[in-house]
Structure formats: structure tokens, C-alpha cells
Amino acid sequence: MLVICAVGKRFAVTTPNQPVRHAPWEVYNAPSQNIPACQLLDATARIRELEAQLAVRDLSSDSGPRERTSSDARSDNPWLALFAVDHLQDTYSIDTSLATFQAEIAHCGVGESGSTKRASFSSIVYRKTGAQLDLDHFLAQAAQSLRFRGIQSRTGSHRSLSPKWPPTPLVRYSIDHYSQSGLYSIFPVASADGLSRLIEEGILDRQDETVPAANLACLFALTAMMSVMHRLSPEFVNAEPDAYIQAALGLMPRLLMERTTVRSLEAVVLIMTYVMPSGQIEPGQLLLSLATRMILTLGAHRMSIMSKPEGRHLRALFWFCYGADKNMLIRYNQSPHFIDADCDLQIPDNYVLSSSDNQFFSRPLSNHELLFPSDVRLSLLKSKVYHLLYSRHARAHSEARRLQYIRELDQELNDLKRTFPASCWPDLFATSSAPNYTFHDLRKIHEASPCLESNNSISSWSILPSSVELFYQESRSILLYIRHVRDFLNWHTFWIYAQFLLTSVFSLFKCIISYPAASSNEKDIQLLQSLVDMFAELDGKESENARGLFPPFYFTVCLIKRLIFLARQASNKACE
């Protein structure tokens, strides 16, 4: 039995046969009849939460005797236990996956549930196929089928729910590997030299509040990121990245109250980089907002920062966050965090242009060069696309002016394409016989491509019929590309590709049912079927892993199968 006594906002926690810990909690034997009902309810909820945490800790201790390290002691200390809550959603949870999947498809051309756009989509499907398609209900049924199969009991069972400080040797190895691998070239999110100095100062051996929370959070978050990226490597196979990132998140309240430093910016960016690929877009956006404010506070958006210590690194962090911001503009039609007019947009002199083979093919990475996850020039073009076509100011333009901007932006995109090696042009990947190169990042070409407002219905494109065909062709190209990079698809990268995949699937489906007698339909259906086969294979592989099946793979298979069935229904109805 667990006993909690409340003193204002402070608690005393005791268990039978255990001494009372007086710091940071106090014991106060207040008569229960004097405690208001609301406080009793709060205390009851807190009791259940702490009991669950103790149960998790007890279960984790049943694995047998092992050598106890200083990091283990820190993991159990009362100071860390203050933050012993589950900050992260479990990406293997059926309910979490369902909610994320439903939220994602709302940005894929079919609108949110209950919206006019969703109603229009359902109406078109019924009119063309004679069948009802309620996407949310259909996906909920798919989730229920997983529960009937007993998948829920296996998924998430190996996930650490409580925060944990990573062992010092693992932190040190993560920093060394990050530096030696040249990963800074793509993810310039931390200074290896700066973090190594923190280790040398022994901050992981101290528990007092004189240690800046930003320094600890930065070390924890980098270790979590490296543990996920190299989770199959022997050195990281026993790591617990979710537990480490939760420890970093638990430090955020203290970090926010500290003076902004390079380390605090790195900590926020590292956490953002960890969270966004899991499909948690809103938390990722909030972290990006915080990182933006820190960048402005430190002056990293200005070239004048180059004269200060770590100025070059700060400019790299600026461009990393700038790229993330502009990606969100196009994908989710969000307002920008960075206003171009307020920033110095001079491309770093150590940035490797896309005309270099390093940008496309596997080459040794160098910490002295910058590649970034996406082309910097495409980030600038995305910003221009938003400003000219999506912003509030742009909506007031006449149709003729908008058409002019579309043509100009299309020309800029084509000019950029010509700087790529000829064998790597995106046109090449619109064919099923395209070579399977190991590209650093080809999808960035498609990220900036849709110059039309993807939130509009097809009927609104009637002023520019050729653009509709271009959009369909773009969808085919994206699906063919995703099929080519199947080796890079797994549970950790799915949400990075999900919107491109699902938007293209819905777009191609609309094309098929809108023109059910088109000669290209059978080939398009075969393309969709190949994706079903690919994700069914991925689904099977994940089922064999320790963590079990990854629900979004199953949802993707079910959804595309249903769309293929309806597409054939439309063709049959047209022949009647």
C-alpha cells in the first residue's frame, strides 16, 4: 500500500517497511476529514500514478542481479522521480497509432472528419462507386481487428515508461560516434566538442541544482537520438532511448527558466528531432517554436553571430530549424516561425551543393561540410511558395496573378533540377525501371513541387486543367520513389514518409474513380497493389520483432486495399 500526505503542492511518499524520504517531500499527518474533496481526488489520482511507477520499477528489477552503477542510482533518486511521468506517446500503441493515422490523413487531401472537404470526398466516392466510405469508421474497425487478434498485449510491452539517466559510458560513446561518423554534416544539432567538455567536467556525477538543466538535457537527448538511429548496433542494443528522452523532457521546466545558451538550444532541437519522426506533429511544432525563439535570442539568424564563439555552429542550427519550419509550411499549411525578411539567408560557405555526388550518393560524411536533411535551396523555395500562394496576403491575388506565380515557381524548380546530376533527375523515377540508387534525400524534390493549394478540391482546379494532370503524375512519381526506397522504410521512418505516401494514394484513387474508363487505370491499380504487398511484407517483419506489430503498417495495408476495391467498383459501374 502506498501512502501520500499532502502539504500544499508537496507530497510525502512512504511504503511499508521503508524509511520516509524527507527531501524533497515532507511528512504531514493531516486528518483526512479536514482535506477538501477535490484534494482527496487529486491525491487518489496521484496514488495510482505512483503505484504504477513503482510497479514498473519493480518489474524492471526482476531481470536478475547486476552491477549497480552511479547512473542506476540517479535513475531511482527522488529528484528524478518528480518527473516520472510518461511524456511520450507509445508509437506501438493501437490507440495512439489510430489517432495519429486519422490526424495525418486529414492533411492528405480528404480533409478533417466532419469537414466540408471530407463530406465532399465521401460524396464523390459514393457517386462514382455506389459504396459508402467513412474513413474514421473504417480505420476504427481495422484497429478493432488488431485487438481481436491480441496484438495490443504484445505492442509496447518492451517500452520503458519511466525516465532514466543514460549510463556515462553510453553517453560518451554516443558523442564519439556522432563525431567520428560525420553525422554532424546532416544533423548539425550538437557540438561534439562542447558536449565532450561537459563529460570531462563530470556533470553526470553530480546531482545538485548547480548543474544547468540544459547541459543534462542535451546529453540525454543526444544519447536518445543516437540510440534510436543505431538501435541495431551492438553498442546500442540494450539502450532505452524513450527513457532517456523522457528524462530530458522532465528537465524542460528548469531549462525554460535558465538563461538561453547554445546547450539549451541544442537540447530543444535534439528533442524536436526525436519527437517529430514519431508522428507527434503538434509537440514537434511547439518545440520548433521554442527553438526559433532561442535562435532569435542568441542572434543565430544574423551573420554577425559568426564573429562569436560557436557562431558557425549556431548558423548551422539556424539553417537546420529553418528547413524544418519551411517543411511544415508545405506539409501542414502552418504559419512560418521564421520571417525571411528578419533573417540573413546567406547559404553557409561549407554547404555542399546538390550538383555534388555527396548530396545524392553514399559517400563518407565530413563534419567540415553541411548537407542537412533537405536541400537548403528547396527550403528557400518552399518559403517562397508559401508567401506567394498560401499566405493570407496571397489569397487576395487574382487568378491571373496566381497562375503567373505558379509558372514562375515551376521554372525556378526546373532550374534547380538542372543542377542535379542528370542520372538523378526526378523524371527518371517516374518509371518502374528506375535504378535503385541509395540517395541521401530525393524526396525533397517532391516536397516543394505542389504549387497548387492541396487543400482545395479538384473542382477548384478547373481554371488550370493541365495542373491537375501534373498533380496526378507527381503522385505516381512519389509512389514509385517510395517503392524504390523500401529498404529505408521501418517503424522509425514511417511518419516521415506518411503524408507524401497517403496524399499520393488518395490523389491517384481520385484520378481512377473520376475517369473510370481511362487506359492508365489498370496500371495505377497495379501500382497501388504493389504498395499493399510492400507494406504487408513490412507488417510481417515487424510482427516478428520483439516489440511486435507496428499498427500504422497494418492500417496502410487495409486502407489501400479498400481503395483498390472501390476503384474497381467505379470501373465496373462505368461499364454498366
Side-chain angles (χ1 to χ4, degrees):
M1 180 179 179
L2 191 68
V3 181
I4 298 184
C5 302
V7 187
K9 295 184 180 179
R10 305 172 71 180
F11 298 95
V13 180
T14 66
T15 56
N17 303 321
Q18 284 189 350
V20 177
R21 296 175 175 174
H22 294 283
W25 302 296
E26 292 180 3
V27 178
Y28 177 63
N29 296 316
S32 60
Q33 62 268 25
N34 294 332
I35 301 177
C38 60
Q39 290 187 17
L40 287 174
L41 289 174
D42 290 342
T44 300
R46 182 64 175 158
I47 288 172
R48 291 174 179 170
E49 179 183 346
L50 291 175
E51 284 179 334
Q53 292 165 13
L54 287 173
V56 171
R57 188 179 67 182
D58 291 341
L59 286 173
S60 64
S61 65
D62 290 340
S63 57
R66 60 185 176 87
E67 183 179 353
R68 186 173 178 85
T69 65
S70 58
S71 294
D72 295 328
R74 283 193 297 269
S75 298
D76 295 335
N77 71 32
W79 181 77
L80 186 58
L82 284 172
F83 306 111
V85 295
D86 190 6
H87 299 286
L88 293 178
Q89 295 179 338
D90 185 357
T91 55
Y92 271 74
S93 161
I94 293 177
D95 291 335
T96 298
S97 296
L98 175 62
T100 306
F101 203 94
Q102 290 174 328
E104 191 71 21
I105 64 173
H107 300 282
C108 297
V110 296
E112 297 179 351
S113 178
S115 66
T116 302
K117 190 172 184 179
R118 177 67 64 86
S120 175
F121 171 75
S122 300
S123 176
I124 291 173
V125 171
Y126 180 74
R127 189 169 66 252
K128 294 293 185 177
T129 70
Q132 298 280 359
L133 178 60
D134 184 331
L135 288 172
D136 286 333
H137 179 67
F138 175 78
L139 292 171
Q141 286 183 318
Q144 190 61 24
S145 72
L146 283 181
R147 296 189 184 94
F148 286 144
R149 290 166 52 185
I151 299 298
Q152 180 67 74
S153 62
R154 290 189 287 125
T155 57
S157 59
H158 295 268
R159 179 173 181 264
S160 295
L161 298 179
S162 299
K164 186 175 183 179
W165 289 28
T168 301
L170 182 63
V171 178
R172 184 178 289 111
Y173 181 81
S174 297
I175 297 171
D176 291 343
H177 188 67
Y178 175 73
S179 175
Q180 295 168 9
S181 65
L183 197 58
Y184 182 90
S185 176
I186 301 174
F187 297 100
V189 291
S191 166
D193 291 340
L195 296 188
S196 294
R197 284 193 294 270
L198 295 180
I199 297 295
E200 292 170 1
E201 293 169 2
I203 70 166
L204 290 178
D205 297 323
R206 292 152 51 194
Q207 302 182 36
D208 57 77
E209 295 187 0
T210 62
V211 178
N215 293 351
L216 294 173
C218 193
L219 291 170
F220 298 168
L222 177 71
T223 306
M225 185 186 80
M226 295 299 292
S227 298
V228 164
M229 295 180 70
H230 301 282
R231 58 193 175 279
L232 300 180
S233 300
E235 296 81 6
F236 293 101
V237 70
N238 294 318
E240 301 176 71
D242 280 355
Y244 307 152
I245 206 70
Q246 294 207 75
L249 285 166
L251 291 165
M252 287 295 290
R254 278 186 55 201
L255 183 152
L256 293 176
M257 298 306 293
E258 295 173 352
R259 181 178 62 86
T260 300
T261 64
V262 178
R263 300 288 88 82
S264 56
L265 171 59
E266 289 175 336
V268 172
V269 174
L270 281 163
I271 295 172
M272 177 190 76
T273 304
Y274 189 97
V275 166
M276 278 191 169
S278 66
Q280 300 182 62
I281 300 303
E282 289 187 10
Q285 284 277 43
L286 291 174
L287 289 165
L288 179 58
S289 299
L290 179 57
T292 301
R293 175 48 54 188
M294 289 180 165
I295 284 172
L296 298 178
T297 299
L298 294 171
H301 62 307
R302 298 290 192 188
M303 286 297 296
S304 56
I305 196 68
M306 293 291 287
S307 62
K308 298 182 180 180
E310 296 194 87
R312 196 179 190 88
H313 173 52
L314 281 168
R315 283 294 289 175
L317 277 165
F318 160 73
W319 277 109
F320 183 85
C321 293
Y322 181 90
D325 179 33
K326 304 316 173 187
N327 187 41
M328 292 298 104
L329 288 183
I330 299 301
R331 293 184 68 168
Y332 300 105
N333 198 23
Q334 301 283 350
S335 298
H337 293 89
F338 289 104
I339 306 302
D340 286 7
D342 296 334
C343 302
D344 291 336
L345 299 178
Q346 180 177 333
I347 295 177
D349 56 13
N350 59 333
Y351 176 65
V352 178
L353 296 177
S354 295
S355 57
S356 167
D357 284 350
N358 285 9
Q359 185 76 345
F360 285 90
F361 305 101
S362 293
R363 297 286 189 275
L365 299 174
S366 169
N367 291 329
H368 302 295
E369 297 178 339
L370 291 175
L371 288 170
F372 297 110
S374 187
D375 195 303
V376 167
R377 293 168 299 175
L378 271 175
S379 297
L380 292 169
L381 184 56
K382 291 173 193 175
S383 183
K384 199 169 183 180
V385 168
Y386 175 83
H387 177 70
L388 295 178
L389 298 178
Y390 291 94
S391 66
R392 182 178 181 182
H393 173 72
R395 296 190 185 103
H397 293 323
S398 65
E399 290 182 355
R401 178 59 60 85
R402 289 173 61 81
L403 178 57
Q404 175 190 345
Y405 288 149
I406 288 172
R407 287 172 174 166
E408 291 175 354
L409 290 167
D410 185 61
Q411 184 60 50
E412 286 191 42
L413 188 59
N414 281 324
D415 291 343
L416 179 57
K417 182 189 73 172
R418 292 191 185 97
T419 69
F420 300 157
S423 60
C424 302
W425 285 11
D427 313 65
L428 182 65
F429 284 80
T431 64
S432 58
S433 59
N436 189 17
Y437 291 130
T438 305
F439 288 107
H440 165 55
D441 185 13
L442 182 62
R443 66 182 173 81
K444 59 197 170 191
I445 297 170
H446 303 297
E447 290 178 18
S449 297
C451 295
L452 296 169
E453 289 193 54
S454 59
N455 289 330
N456 290 343
S457 63
I458 293 177
S459 60
S460 67
W461 297 341
S462 57
I463 62 166
L464 196 60
S466 60
S467 292
V468 179
E469 177 55 34
L470 287 173
F471 188 72
Y472 288 141
Q473 185 58 33
E474 180 69 16
S475 299
R476 295 183 184 100
S477 300
I478 291 174
L479 295 179
L480 286 167
Y481 169 67
I482 289 177
R483 198 174 66 180
H484 280 302
V485 297
R486 61 187 301 165
D487 293 339
F488 298 100
L489 285 170
N490 52 56
W491 67 269
H492 189 62
T493 62
F494 174 80
W495 293 114
I496 297 175
Y497 291 90
Q499 193 187 96
F500 306 109
L501 165 73
L502 297 173
T503 299
S504 300
V505 165
F506 280 121
S507 173
L508 207 55
F509 169 70
K510 287 185 202 176
C511 179
I512 295 171
I513 66 173
S514 297
Y515 308 99
S519 59
S520 60
N521 283 357
E522 187 57 36
K523 189 175 181 180
D524 288 339
I525 289 176
Q526 290 176 5
L527 175 57
L528 293 177
Q529 182 60 49
S530 70
L531 293 169
V532 170
D533 297 339
M534 183 182 78
F535 278 98
E537 181 182 351
L538 290 170
D539 188 23
K541 288 181 179 179
E542 288 296 327
S543 298
E544 299 171 359
N545 292 340
R547 294 192 67 171
L549 183 145
F550 185 53
F553 286 165
Y554 181 76
F555 296 154
T556 302
V557 170
C558 292
L559 176 61
I560 300 179
K561 275 186 174 180
R562 183 61 178 171
L563 296 181
I564 290 174
F565 171 79
L566 292 173
R568 294 198 182 280
Q569 286 285 94
S571 297
N572 295 336
K573 191 170 184 287
C575 295
E576 294 177 355

